[in-house]
Amino acid sequence: MTASGDLTPAAQLAATGTAPSRPAAATGARRGSGLRRRLAATLWALPVPLVLLLLWDQGVSGGWTLPFGIQMEFVPRPYDVARRLADLALGGVINDSYSGVLWLHLYASTLRVVQGFLIAVVIAVPLGIVMGRSRVVYRMLEPTINLVRPIPVTAWAPLALLIIGFGDRSTIFLVFLASVFSVLLNTISGVQAIPERLFEAAAMLGTRPVQTLYKVVLPAAIPSIIGGMRIALGLGWVILVVGETVGISTGLGALITQAREQSRTDLIVAVMIVIGLAGFLADRLLVLLVRLASGRRPLVP
């Protein structure tokens, strides 16, 4: 049975014979406004991919040579990539060894990204809060962090294989490295930006110094922390291919490596699109979870 609050004003009038109450009408108006905003955002986002798709097809047909010497004649057509994507996901289109294997590889890669990302968040958020509140700790750790941070994660990859070995752990470690500094620096920045008057007000209300960490510091710094987490999650997907290139047989990066060895450009591009979509959906899921947890507080734009 549908709750009366879920009915549109017209439907409620028809069902009950009474006009909807003001709260119900306001709720319906908010939902309608939200749907219109989402529809408008979708319509604004569509033209760019469509134009890129058209240029891609025309470039391959015309054998264009782009800057950096990119020769489009060696790039697969959009139709061939779409066909490969359908076969990867569902099978029965091309019928080769890669038919219907997408979900197995996507699950393995997602698990590694999530593990590395969560480890980074668990370490970086508390450390960032402490560094943001303590000048002594900040002065002790900041130079070392900024010395290690510029080292590319790709440079860590050979060392990770030697000291950790082949397998999941080295990939998770690389995802952790790619993620941790974004969360840490955003947390420090968010904590240091909290106005001192908030601490003074908390002290006047009798809040103990330790309690200010979770009653004042954490709530005030959450928007900055969430921003760092979104960047970190995207970087985790970026570095995934590097981590899964060697010593791993299941994963999107491993799939790209196998496709490169067999010169299957359609498979390479198809998996690249899957990684992009996975990163996009992971970001949207993170934002959704934050909004559900925060209620009406505007923690994310």
Side-chain angles (χ1 to χ4, degrees):
M1 180 180 293
T2 304
S4 59
D6 294 332
L7 295 175
T8 62
Q12 185 173 343
L13 180 61
T16 64
T18 59
S21 60
R22 287 185 177 180
T27 303
R30 281 198 300 271
R31 287 179 179 168
S33 176
L35 287 175
R36 283 194 295 273
R37 282 200 302 270
R38 292 190 187 95
L39 179 61
T42 303
L43 292 176
W44 276 107
L46 276 178
V48 173
L50 291 177
V51 169
L52 289 176
L53 204 60
L54 181 63
L55 290 174
W56 175 7
D57 187 65
Q58 291 300 310
V60 175
S61 301
W64 294 356
T65 300
L66 303 181
F68 304 103
I70 299 173
Q71 301 181 44
M72 293 295 291
E73 61 180 323
F74 298 122
V75 177
R77 290 177 177 276
Y79 171 76
D80 296 329
V81 175
R83 194 164 169 263
R84 172 58 72 179
L85 264 175
D87 186 67
L88 265 177
L90 305 173
V93 179
I94 299 176
N95 288 324
D96 61 7
S97 59
Y98 298 104
S99 298
V101 300
L102 173 63
W103 307 113
L104 175 66
H105 291 277
L106 180 60
Y107 173 75
S109 294
T110 302
L111 208 57
R112 293 176 188 122
V113 170
V114 170
Q115 290 180 76
F117 171 73
L118 289 180
I119 294 172
V121 170
V122 168
I123 292 176
V125 172
L127 181 60
I129 290 175
V130 173
M131 290 182 67
R133 290 299 301 157
S134 171
R135 291 184 179 179
V136 175
V137 177
Y138 182 81
R139 288 173 179 171
M140 288 176 62
L141 296 181
E142 190 271 342
T144 304
I145 289 173
N146 276 315
L147 181 68
V148 176
R149 185 170 62 89
I151 300 174
V153 177
T154 49
W156 282 94
L159 183 62
L161 291 175
L162 290 174
I163 63 178
I164 298 177
F166 298 108
D168 289 346
R169 287 187 297 177
S170 59
T171 304
I172 294 170
F173 172 70
L174 293 176
V175 172
F176 160 76
L177 276 180
S179 305
V180 68
F181 295 113
S182 298
V183 182
L184 178 61
L185 295 181
N186 275 273
T187 303
I188 295 172
S189 174
V191 172
Q192 291 179 338
I194 299 174
E196 279 300 320
R197 66 176 184 276
L198 288 182
F199 296 102
E200 295 169 0
M204 290 176 62
L205 293 172
T207 307
R208 296 177 180 176
V210 176
Q211 292 178 324
T212 59
L213 291 178
Y214 60 88
K215 287 188 175 180
V216 177
V217 175
L218 190 59
I222 276 184
S224 183
I225 295 173
I226 298 300
M229 289 171 63
R230 293 181 67 183
I231 297 172
L233 190 56
L235 290 174
W237 284 101
V238 168
I239 209 63
L240 179 72
V241 175
V242 177
E244 292 182 341
T245 299
V246 180
I248 288 180
S249 59
T250 306
L252 297 175
L255 205 53
I256 284 185
T257 304
Q258 295 167 23
R260 184 199 62 196
E261 292 170 351
Q262 299 172 16
S263 301
R264 298 194 178 192
T265 53
D266 60 334
L267 183 57
I268 293 175
V269 178
V271 178
M272 288 168 62
I273 292 173
V274 171
I275 292 175
L277 289 173
F280 176 82
L281 293 176
D283 178 73
R284 289 296 185 268
L285 181 60
L286 176 63
V287 170
L288 177 63
L289 291 175
V290 171
R291 284 179 174 159
L292 289 176
S294 62
R296 295 183 178 181
R297 287 179 294 176
L299 299 183
V300 291

